Structures are given as structure tokens and as C-alpha cells.
Amino acid sequence: MRTVLLDSLLTLILFHSLLWLLLLPSSSSFPLCTNSCGFPPDSASCSSSYCYFLEGFGAPVTLKTPLTFCSYTGSSCCNATDDSALQKQFNSMNISDSTCGSIVKSILCTKCNPYSADLFTVEPNIGMVPVLCNSTTSVSSAQSSKVASGDFCVQVWDSCKDVPIRNSPFAASLQGAAGQSVSSSRLSDLWQSETDFCKAFGGSASSESVCFNGQSASFNSTVDSAPKGICLEKLGNGSYLSMVPHPDGSNRVFLSDQAGKIWLATVPAQGSGGTLDFNESSTFLDITDMVHYDTAFGVMGLAFHPNFTSNGRFFVSYNCDKTQLASCSGRCSCNSDVNCDPSKLGLNNGIQPCRYQSVISEFTVNGSSSTTPSEATSASPSEVRRIFTMGLPYTEHHGGQILFGPEDGYLYFMMGDGGNDGDPFNFAQNKKSLLGKIMRLDVNNIPSSSEINDLGLWGNYSTPKDNPSADDGQLQDEIWALGLRNPWRCSFDSKRPSYFFCADVGQEAYEEVDLISKGGNYGWRVYEGPYPYHPKWTPGGNTSLSSINPIFPVMGYNHSSVNTNVGSAAISGGYVYRAKADPCLYGRYLYADLYGLGMWAGIENPESSGNYSSTELPFNCAKETPIACDPVEGSHLPSLGIVYSFAEDNSKDVYLLASKGVYRIVRPSLCNYTCPQEGHIDNGSAPTGSSSSTGTGRLRGPTGARAPPEREFIRSAAVG
């Protein structure tokens, strides 16, 4: 009797589970976890198909902290215990080849993928290896372009076929037939050929299936996942140049204006209806007495040390006036070392050369309060040390953004060519000049004063030994890349941190996005984007086309595409979108024109190819934006004013910082844009450890702060 009741109960559960499955979207892209009755499957617990329905389904959980081994953040089908077990399983495999090891790790971690229920086969038991994307099966060209490097199954075979793997997951399907385990095996020991291997493990994404491409779940090729537009909500009215997420992983951010004030603010959760929450009268740091603020000058960048939560160190990039501030003193960037005579530069807007300096200063929260750095709400206004000071030849094109490399921990400093029409002294191509360069500095190993003097450094830093000067002795030690006009906002892809994008403002014809690499020369002023450039005035000499090996932009746009007036465009670089709100933007690099007249999304196709295509997208404000957006008479576009910068928070949500406020990218349907995957994405909630937004937004930023004259800012800071 008891057995009959149990069977009846299981049958009922099975019926309801099947009914639930039938109600799921046919695209098979609903976030769903599979327990799989243990990894590897246990034959006793999984002998019945009921196991799959009793234990096999569940919604992804929101992680409190990122997984250590599998590196999932946000939603995952694994908790910390699962992650630790997978790491133990991986370590036991004793894989000697790093490439194969990386691939096997990614395969093991698909158990944590929010779509794992679709990635693993069901009969007779749930396998240890997900369906691997295999473009050799029936698949459209559109789908094959989504598969990493064309065919992930072939990648697995090529990388691991001759590598011994203890207790190989690929041998699991053979172990049952043979009745014994395989202690150590190569793929070539188990499968006669790549074709046989991919018949066993490969599959393509179709209308009813999902496959794993090495990085993410690849879905139905018939679904048009191209974004139709960018939907924004307005969260604040203030005008800021920089927003940086708090290093503690919470939903707090640091906002800096151009004049020299920095605030600590709380970001509301998506869909909460809240606004930026902070107290305008309570600044985290105020260095307005140190900063020269006027049109193209002010606080240009903000970066927090990778170990900020323990050491409290952070860095501010700004400009100062040596006639107003005694500590504002550095060598002129035009000097004998770069074959430049300051007296030949002349006055620029009535200003003597190198009166204004580009500065990086270090500050700390230690000593400002008795709390830990993560709990500090203010910083000491006293400068800890001057990292860098350099006099600027002219009053434009000095970039100023600073970023820590996510993999190497070094400080990257973006510097423009110094200004004037067409870089007349050819600073950007001069390998001894730091103008028109991206620098890479070590701020953890500070030399002594005598060493700084002997090495001719510009402040308290050292240069990493693997900087490009190690291979090219003509390059100044600080230089990481050269040939840039005015890099305006750079970012690392959070998913693929070796991808380093910089937007470079053009002279009169083309705005470009460059993929930065070690020692790369990006052409200015031999080229402006893809076009040869012919300067009108060349007192500093020329660089011939044949003498350099330029790297051309991967994305960009002509000035004429946004405005027919010459020089009336300037690019603002963004981020590779990795948030959940708009799945159709996922993996695409976003950038905009400074005038707020155009936004683009670019994508590499196929992955790892270096080939990019970009599409200009319409944008609008959400119907239920917390703060109303300003309309533009006679246009469907909202009025953003000047788009100064993009920003990203700890949830990877992307923001636009504009002269008319702070805007966040939200679900496309809120602007009536369609994205088939939107309904299947969990938008998540605020990260653990964050302070909750009340949804009322007590203050919306310093609305009374002085805003830079917009056209002056563009002409001086960007277009020149």
C-alpha cells in the first residue's frame, strides 16, 4: 500500500513537472538549474527518471559573494559548497596542460550555469559534460558566428586529445558500458577521431536545444537577439565626469564632478523606482582648493586601489595651476629630452606653456575615521603623495583618466597629445614624449627620491619591468601604447579583461574606438582613424606612413554621420555590456557621441577574430523613469545634454553621465523595444552588503554645482 501511494505521488509530481515544462518558452532559454542527483551522477539515486523531476529543476539563486572557483556572480545554480566540490574534482584530474585545463574547468563549471537544465542530457542519466556547440552539425551561418572561434567541440578535441586526464568526465559514458572506471585517459584513447568525439558530445543551438560555446550558453539561432534600442532611466540631476563602483562590491558608487568634489552615493536596485541617494553637503573628499577648474580642466579621473578595502588607498587625476598653487610644479612636457623648446610653442589662449599641470595624487581613508576602509564615508583631504606631475604645452587634449588593470594591478594613465591643431610638434609619435600615450605605472613599489631623480621619473612610481620599453629601447619606460590624439574614456571588458578598449577623439573627420595592446601604435597623427592625416603646420617634423605599423580602429564613425559641420563630433567611450537588464546588449561594446546625438553598440564577430561591426541604435527614456527626462522638440530622442562619460557599477549595470543628469540602461521593454530573451532574465537585486534604497532618493546630487560650458568643454577637452 505504501509503495502504491509513493508511486502515485511520484506520478502526480511527474505529471505536474511535465505540464510545467510544456508551459516554458519554446526557445529553451529559461533560467533553470539541474541538480543532476550529484556530480558525477549516482546510479542508485538516479536509477529512476523521477529523480530528474524531483531534484532536477530549480531557479538560479542570487549569490551573496562571487564563486571562488567557477567565478560566477549574480545568479548561479551553485553555492559555495558546490563550487568547492567542483574545484576538488578538477584538482583531482591532474591536468598538466594549461589550455586543456582551462577548457575542462569551464566545462565542469557549466553545472553552475543558470541554464544548466538545458545544457545536460537527461537519458539515461544526466551526463557530466554539457552539449558542446558544434558548428559541423546542421546550423545556420548566423548561429555559427555565435560559437566561440567557430566550433567549441573541435576546440576541446584539439586542446585535450593528447592530454592525460584522471577520472576524465569524457569517459563517464564509457565507464558504465565497460563496467570499470578509467584512471587516466586521453581523448584519443577513448575516441577514434574528432568526428566521433563531437558526435558523442556535440550539438548546435536550435529551436529546441541549447549548447555550450566555452563562455556562455548559446541559444536558438532563429531568435533575433540584435538590440533594437537602448532604454534609459534617469536617476539624478547632477553633472559628473566620473562614477566608480565601491571596491567592497556593494551597491555604492563614488561620483566626482569636474570642480573637485567626490561623493559616496547609493544606487537603487533596478525596478525600484529609486534615485541616487547621497547627501550633497557631505562630501567624501573635497579638493577644490587644489584643482584648476575651467572648461577642459578639473578632476579628470578617479581610481581605487585593488586592495582598497584593506589599505584605503585611492587616486585622483586632476589639473592644477602653478601660478595659483605652490605644490603645482613639474617638468614641462616640452623639453630637450623630446627635442622640444617651450619658447617655440607660443601662447595658447594667452596662457604660457606648462602653466597648467596634469597631476595624479594619492589619498587615503585611513586616519579619517576609526572604521575600516569599506565603512569609511570620508577621506583625509591631505595628499599622501604626488604620484605624477607634468606640465602641459597647450590647454587642450590632456585626457586624464586613470584605471587599475584588472589582471596586473598596475595604474593605466590616459594622456592626450597636448593640444593645438593637428599635434604640430608630433608629440603622439615621439617615443620619448608622454603626450599622446597610455602609460602604465607601478604605484606599489615607490622608489627613493634619489632613484626618482636618477631615473628621470615624473613622480612617486616605478615602471613595470614588462612595459614595452623592454622590447623597444626607444620607448620611454612609462609608455604602454602610443599614437593617440585624446583618449576619452577607456575600459576593460569585465568578462574578458585582456580586451582593453579606448575611444580616441578625432580631429575633423573620424571618431575611433581602439582595442589597446602592449606597445601598439594607433597612428595619430599619421592617421586619423583609418584615414591618412595631413597636418597644416609641422614645426615638430613629420612621421612617414612607411615608418610605423599602425593599428587601425575596430569601431568608430565619421563626423558626417552625426553632423555635417566639420569638427562637430567627439566620441565618449563606454563598456562591453555585461549586465542582466538588457540581454540583447550583452557582449556588445557601447559608445556615444559627446553631443548626445548618437549611440552605438559594437560586437566582435566571430569571437577572438578582431573583426568588429557596430550599429547605431535609437535610445529613449523609460515610461516609468524615476526622474523625468527632458524632451527634444521635433525629435524622438530625449535631451541628455553632453554625454561626458559612461560608467559601470558592481552589478555591471551601465550608466551615462551627462550634463543633464545620470542615466542607467534598463529593460528594453520599458521603452517598447523588443528583446526576445528579456522575459527569461532574472534582473537580480542589490549586491549583498549594500544599503537598501528607500526609493525616495533623498537628494539627487548637487544641482547647484557649476557646470562647465558645454560647447567650450567639447571644443577644448575633446574636439580641439
Side-chain angles (χ1 to χ4, degrees):
M1 180 66 177
R2 184 176 180 180
T3 302
V4 173
L5 287 174
L6 179 59
D7 286 344
S8 299
L9 176 60
L10 292 175
T11 302
L12 183 62
I13 293 173
L14 177 59
F15 172 77
H16 283 289
S17 299
L18 285 170
L19 181 61
W20 182 49
L21 282 175
L22 292 172
L23 294 175
L24 294 182
S26 60
S27 64
S28 299
S29 57
F30 191 82
L32 205 58
C33 300
T34 179
N35 184 307
S36 76
C37 306
F39 263 63
D42 176 73
S43 59
S45 63
C46 283
S47 59
S48 168
S49 61
Y50 295 140
C51 173
Y52 186 76
F53 294 103
L54 287 174
E55 297 192 63
F57 288 118
V61 297
T62 300
L63 296 170
K64 294 182 178 180
T65 57
L67 297 181
T68 302
F69 177 65
C70 288
S71 303
Y72 276 83
T73 59
S75 295
S76 174
C77 290
C78 292
N79 56 28
T81 301
D82 300 324
D83 187 58
S84 178
L86 288 170
Q87 183 174 20
K88 184 177 180 180
Q89 181 184 357
F90 175 75
N91 291 340
S92 71
M93 293 179 179
N94 196 28
I95 303 173
S96 59
D97 183 86
S98 60
T99 302
C100 177
S102 177
I103 285 176
V104 172
K105 175 184 174 181
S106 72
I107 289 171
L108 289 180
C109 287
T110 51
K111 181 189 177 185
C112 304
N113 192 295
Y115 300 90
S116 62
D118 281 324
L119 285 168
F120 291 91
T121 56
V122 180
E123 297 176 354
N125 294 321
I126 299 172
M128 293 181 67
V129 177
V131 177
L132 308 178
C133 288
N134 178 22
S135 63
T136 58
T137 59
S138 177
V139 61
S140 69
S141 59
Q143 167 61 20
S144 63
S145 69
K146 295 179 182 179
V147 180
S149 298
D151 194 333
F152 183 61
C153 189
V154 173
Q155 281 190 50
V156 176
W157 173 264
D158 289 343
S159 301
C160 296
K161 62 182 177 181
D162 296 321
V163 179
I165 305 174
R166 290 178 58 85
N167 298 314
S168 171
F170 303 103
S173 61
L174 299 180
Q175 290 171 14
Q180 58 184 6
S181 64
V182 181
S183 59
S184 183
S185 60
R186 301 171 175 85
L187 297 187
S188 55
D189 296 333
L190 303 169
W191 311 97
Q192 293 184 358
S193 67
E194 166 200 302
T195 301
D196 290 341
F197 174 76
C198 287
K199 280 183 179 178
F201 294 105
S204 65
S206 68
S207 61
E208 297 180 354
S209 65
V210 179
C211 63
F212 179 59
N213 66 11
Q215 296 176 351
S216 61
S218 183
F219 297 108
N220 179 5
S221 61
T222 64
V223 174
D224 180 11
S225 62
K228 301 299 187 292
I230 299 175
C231 189
L232 305 171
E233 66 175 358
K234 188 174 182 180
L235 299 181
N237 289 319
S239 176
Y240 313 99
L241 253 59
S242 299
M243 174 195 283
V244 180
H246 199 296
D248 68 356
S250 69
N251 65 339
R252 295 181 296 166
V253 296
F254 294 94
L255 293 163
S256 64
D257 71 1
Q258 199 173 344
K261 291 184 178 181
I262 301 171
W263 291 268
L264 180 57
T266 299
V267 174
Q270 285 258 5
S272 68
T275 58
L276 284 174
D277 190 1
F278 66 102
N279 188 340
E280 178 185 351
S281 63
S282 179
T283 56
F284 177 77
L285 180 70
D286 185 345
I287 56 170
T288 50
D289 58 338
M290 301 168 61
V291 175
H292 173 66
Y293 165 45
D294 185 16
T295 60
F297 295 103
V299 172
M300 296 287 114
L302 181 64
F304 288 78
H305 193 278
N307 298 325
F308 171 81
T309 55
S310 58
N311 64 28
R313 300 175 70 193
F314 68 99
F315 303 81
V316 183
S317 167
Y318 61 96
N319 306 115
C320 62
D321 181 349
K322 70 179 184 181
T323 67
Q324 302 294 323
L325 192 68
S327 63
C328 181
S329 60
R331 280 182 289 153
C332 186
S333 55
C334 172
N335 55 58
S336 58
D337 292 340
V338 298
N339 297 316
C340 180
D341 181 355
S343 67
K344 301 286 181 65
L345 295 178
L347 298 180
N348 184 222
N349 297 322
I351 303 300
Q352 290 284 350
C354 295
R355 169 178 168 177
Y356 300 127
Q357 309 275 314
S358 186
V359 175
I360 302 174
S361 289
E362 179 181 339
F363 296 89
T364 183
V365 298
N366 295 328
S368 64
S369 67
S370 59
T371 59
T372 64
S374 291
E375 296 172 328
T377 57
S378 64
S380 171
S382 300
E383 181 183 39
V384 174
R385 63 174 62 90
R386 182 67 56 86
I387 299 297
F388 186 96
T389 311
M390 183 175 73
L392 301 167
Y394 299 112
T395 58
E396 312 100 357
H397 307 175
H398 48 264
Q401 185 186 13
I402 50 177
L403 289 172
F404 277 99
E407 294 188 308
D408 57 28
Y410 293 127
L411 187 68
Y412 290 76
F413 181 26
M414 277 50 82
M415 175 59 66
D417 66 10
N420 213 321
D421 188 10
D423 187 16
F425 287 87
N426 204 21
F427 291 126
Q429 287 298 324
N430 189 324
K431 292 186 175 182
K432 294 302 179 183
S433 171
L434 298 184
L435 296 169
K437 310 298 191 297
I438 293 176
M439 290 172 262
R440 183 175 180 248
L441 312 176
D442 183 350
V443 296
N444 291 323
N445 298 296
I446 308 297
S448 65
S449 298
S450 59
E451 288 174 320
I452 291 172
N453 185 63
D454 293 342
L455 293 170
L457 302 179
W458 299 79
N460 291 287
Y461 61 88
S462 58
T463 54
K465 296 186 183 301
D466 62 341
N467 268 10
S469 59
D471 303 315
D472 184 352
Q474 296 182 31
L475 276 173
Q476 192 70 13
D477 288 346
E478 292 88 344
I479 295 172
W480 182 253
L482 69 153
L484 297 133
R485 183 175 179 269
N486 191 33
W488 190 250
R489 295 333 196 203
C490 305
S491 66
F492 292 92
D493 181 356
S494 60
K495 184 79 171 180
R496 299 182 296 174
S498 62
Y499 281 59
F500 182 24
F501 295 93
C502 275
D504 195 22
V505 177
Q507 174 73 39
E508 57 192 26
Y510 194 82
E511 303 297 313
E512 66 185 84
V513 177
D514 297 310
L515 188 54
I516 303 298
S517 60
K518 177 181 178 180
N521 188 332
Y522 295 89
W524 175 251
R525 66 177 164 78
V526 182
Y527 289 91
E528 180 186 358
Y531 308 127
Y533 180 75
H534 305 288
K536 301 172 184 176
W537 182 45
T538 60
N542 283 311
T543 299
S544 66
L545 275 69
S546 60
S547 66
I548 66 170
N549 185 24
I551 300 174
F552 291 109
V554 293
M555 291 170 277
Y557 57 96
N558 291 298
H559 283 205
S560 58
S561 68
V562 295
N563 199 310
T564 55
N565 295 326
V566 173
S568 60
I571 195 170
S572 184
Y575 289 82
V576 177
Y577 188 83
R578 297 296 182 186
K580 299 176 183 178
D582 189 341
C584 285
L585 287 177
Y586 190 86
R588 298 172 188 267
Y589 177 79
L590 305 179
Y591 57 102
D593 188 71
L594 213 69
Y595 279 92
L597 298 176
M599 292 189 203
W600 290 261
I603 191 166
E604 187 181 27
N605 190 356
E607 288 188 30
S608 305
S609 67
N611 296 318
Y612 282 81
S613 60
S614 59
T615 304
E616 185 173 3
L617 295 174
F619 58 94
N620 214 327
C621 269
K623 293 173 288 186
E624 298 177 0
T625 177
I627 301 174
C629 297
D630 293 340
V632 176
E633 186 175 351
S635 171
H636 66 282
L637 297 176
S639 176
L640 308 179
I642 303 303
V643 178
Y644 295 132
S645 304
F646 283 77
E648 187 181 62
D649 66 13
N650 282 315
S651 295
K652 305 306 175 189
D653 279 320
V654 173
Y655 299 76
L656 278 76
L657 309 182
S659 60
K660 291 193 174 182
V662 178
Y663 304 80
R664 176 168 61 184
I665 295 177
V666 294
R667 293 186 292 118
S669 61
L670 296 176
C671 292
N672 293 324
Y673 298 132
T674 58
C675 175
Q677 295 94 326
E678 180 188 335
H680 310 319
I681 297 297
D682 174 16
N683 284 317
S685 56
T688 299
S690 64
S691 54
S692 300
S693 170
T694 61
T696 58
R698 293 194 302 271
L699 288 172
R700 297 170 180 170
T703 55
R706 175 188 173 197
E710 294 173 359
R711 296 191 180 275
E712 291 273 339
F713 179 89
I714 294 175
R715 184 170 65 248
S716 302
V719 176

